[in-house]
Amino acid sequence: MWRRTRFTQRLGIDYPIVQGPFGSGLSSTRLAAAVSNAGGLGSYGAHILGPEEIRATVAELRTRTGRPFNLNLWVPLPGEAALTLTESEFAAESARFASARAEFGLPAPTAPATYAAADFSRQLEAVIEARPPVASFVFGPPPQAAVEEMKRRGIVTMAAATTVDEAVALERAGIELVVASGSDAGGHRPSFLRAAGESLVGTFSLIPQIVDAVSVPVIAAGGIADGRGVAAALMLGADGAQVGTAFLACDESNASEGHKAELVKPSARWTSLTRAYTGRLARGIRTPMMMELERDAEVPPYPIRAWFTSPLRKAAAKAARPERQALWSGQAAGLVRRRTAAQCFAALIETTERAWRRSAAPS
Ligand SMILES: Cc1cc2nc3c(=O)[nH]c(=O)nc-3n(C[C@H](O)[C@H](O)[C@H](O)COP(=O)(O)O)c2cc1C
């Protein structure tokens, strides 16, 4: 039976389907709870939240669902939190976005003490204290002591790998579930051992290689938007499938209405990986804005570029100008529909059953 895997047994959930977390304020407790209540694992991307907000989010999730859910953080890469600009570099990057700010009536920024969206160690403390059933990480494992503390407190740990080497490193760090994130996936590439641009293995190639290399359960992510993808991931040896873009388009997600509308247009079939929005490689729908930013000779690294574009992206969402937003999307957007999370989840189950029966039918 496809539903019973080491992953569903470990968490005591009904279906091996994870709603992938979304960072940058695009997650919602309604979405995560809807998926958990339907028998999957709902997730909340907390990487821009402060410690108090993390505690409040976990408390809210507990009121919305009695089932397991996942809270997700971004681990800073070495040196990332200390990255800064000289005065003249700051002036040049600020000037780069002067006309865009004028378009939305935004003031010129002043140099911050840090470009980091949040203090990771304080976020981690809050997660450990709030004790979500599952805590997941991108850009590497959290420090060893934290992994051990989470284990002691009964928090199941999960982290993303984009290569076999990363999966092996996560298992060695004591992570219990490895998400194999293929380059088809929407959003940022969570690579941490080599540059993301050198770690672009597609989901279909990545899953069986990671399954062969580690003994912990593997959750496949990237390009899975209906049951054919779920069944294929399980056939390739995964113990679960993580679905992002299909849930991002659901009513309950915190993506703007404009973003959701763009995800279901034929133009969403045209995505690419770019560093232009945040300084870190990420997949989104190609828009004139993406192409314009890609003409920059130099893009400052994450989190600096993200700090400069974040207010602009937020203002564009508020002004219903999706063409000026970062329209994150995976390569399977062509399979995505506008609907509720419960409908999306039920369709995933039904189409997985169908694909599974077909694969088992005598020819
Ligand atoms: C808008 C967006 C934001 C994302 N943010 C995060 C994040 O903060 N943390 C994380 O682990 N994964 C993040 N992801 C990855 C998803 O959780 C999931 O693994 C991925 O979307 C799966 O591929 P798919 O989009 O092809 O379904 C994000 C994806 C999208 C589309």
Side-chain angles (χ1 to χ4, degrees), residues 120-250:
F120 176 71
S121 53
R122 295 192 60 216
Q123 288 180 314
L124 190 57
E125 269 169 32
V127 168
I128 291 172
E129 200 189 299
R131 220 189 270 218
V134 181
S136 73
F137 299 88
V138 272
F139 306 110
Q144 199 61 46
V147 175
E148 282 158 21
E149 184 58 24
M150 285 188 273
K151 194 160 276 173
R152 259 195 299 279
R153 289 178 170 241
I155 303 171
V156 176
T157 52
M158 181 158 140
T162 62
T163 61
V164 169
D165 289 346
E166 288 176 354
V168 169
L170 293 175
E171 181 174 47
R172 282 204 188 121
I175 296 295
E176 287 191 61
L177 303 165
V178 168
V179 176
S181 171
S183 58
D184 326 23
H188 287 90
R189 300 300 310 132
S191 304
F192 61 96
L193 287 183
R194 294 176 76 103
E198 295 169 14
S199 311
L200 298 176
V201 188
T203 307
F204 236 71
S205 304
L206 189 63
I207 304 170
Q209 295 187 64
I210 289 188
V211 165
D212 286 349
V214 297
S215 56
V216 293
V218 173
I219 313 300
I224 302 172
D226 67 24
R228 292 170 295 182
V230 176
L234 297 176
M235 289 276 187
L236 290 170
D239 277 271
Q242 177 157 302
V243 177
T245 303
F247 282 116
L248 188 68
C250 287

Side-chain angles (χ1 to χ4, degrees), residues 1-345:
M1 181 52 181
W2 68 272
R3 287 205 240 159
R4 255 175 95 80
T5 70
R6 288 186 299 160
F7 169 56
T8 57
Q9 285 175 307
R10 174 73 184 87
L11 293 188
I13 59 176
D14 300 333
Y15 299 99
I17 295 177
V18 182
Q19 167 250 318
F22 307 125
S24 319
L26 301 182
S27 283
S28 81
T29 56
R30 276 177 67 217
L31 176 62
V35 172
S36 289
N37 286 333
L41 181 68
S43 307
Y44 191 102
H47 96 272
I48 59 167
L49 300 190
E52 274 315 311
E53 292 166 305
I54 286 176
R55 287 186 198 99
T57 301
V58 171
E60 194 178 320
L61 282 163
R62 282 198 213 288
T63 66
R64 290 187 183 272
T65 182
R67 316 290 297 268
F69 57 84
N70 164 36
L71 205 79
N72 173 264
L73 291 180
W74 293 21
V75 178
L77 292 176
E80 178 186 301
L83 284 173
T84 190
L85 294 179
T86 63
E87 230 169 86
S88 64
E89 286 167 339
F90 183 88
E93 182 71 356
S94 180
R96 165 74 189 81
F97 294 103
S99 65
R101 281 196 305 272
E103 201 179 327
F104 293 109
L106 295 172
T110 49
T114 168
Y115 289 90
D119 178 335
F120 176 71
S121 53
R122 295 192 60 216
Q123 288 180 314
L124 190 57
E125 269 169 32
V127 168
I128 291 172
E129 200 189 299
R131 220 189 270 218
V134 181
S136 73
F137 299 88
V138 272
F139 306 110
Q144 199 61 46
V147 175
E148 282 158 21
E149 184 58 24
M150 285 188 273
K151 194 160 276 173
R152 259 195 299 279
R153 289 178 170 241
I155 303 171
V156 176
T157 52
M158 181 158 140
T162 62
T163 61
V164 169
D165 289 346
E166 288 176 354
V168 169
L170 293 175
E171 181 174 47
R172 282 204 188 121
I175 296 295
E176 287 191 61
L177 303 165
V178 168
V179 176
S181 171
S183 58
D184 326 23
H188 287 90
R189 300 300 310 132
S191 304
F192 61 96
L193 287 183
R194 294 176 76 103
E198 295 169 14
S199 311
L200 298 176
V201 188
T203 307
F204 236 71
S205 304
L206 189 63
I207 304 170
Q209 295 187 64
I210 289 188
V211 165
D212 286 349
V214 297
S215 56
V216 293
V218 173
I219 313 300
I224 302 172
D226 67 24
R228 292 170 295 182
V230 176
L234 297 176
M235 289 276 187
L236 290 170
D239 277 271
Q242 177 157 302
V243 177
T245 303
F247 282 116
L248 188 68
C250 287
D251 297 350
E252 294 90 339
S253 100
N254 222 12
S256 68
E257 280 305 311
H259 190 162
K260 292 177 190 178
E262 294 297 324
L263 286 173
V264 297
K265 287 184 183 168
S267 48
R269 294 184 203 132
W270 195 32
T271 66
S272 62
L273 287 163
T274 185
R275 289 182 61 245
Y277 290 121
T278 64
R280 183 170 253 176
L281 204 63
R283 184 177 294 287
I285 299 171
R286 269 191 100 62
T287 61
M289 180 174 158
M290 187 197 276
M291 290 183 262
E292 180 200 311
L293 289 175
E294 281 177 343
R295 284 199 287 273
D296 289 359
E298 299 261 334
V299 173
Y302 180 89
I304 297 175
R305 177 46 79 88
W307 185 86
F308 278 96
T309 62
S310 167
L312 295 164
R313 291 183 274 131
K314 280 190 194 129
K318 215 165 149 195
R321 298 272 309 278
E323 79 287 359
R324 307 296 283 165
Q325 284 179 250
L327 299 174
W328 307 125
S329 171
Q331 289 183 319
L335 299 169
V336 162
R337 306 222 195 112
R338 279 304 315 268
R339 50 190 164 188
T340 66
Q343 287 166 338
C344 180
F345 196 84

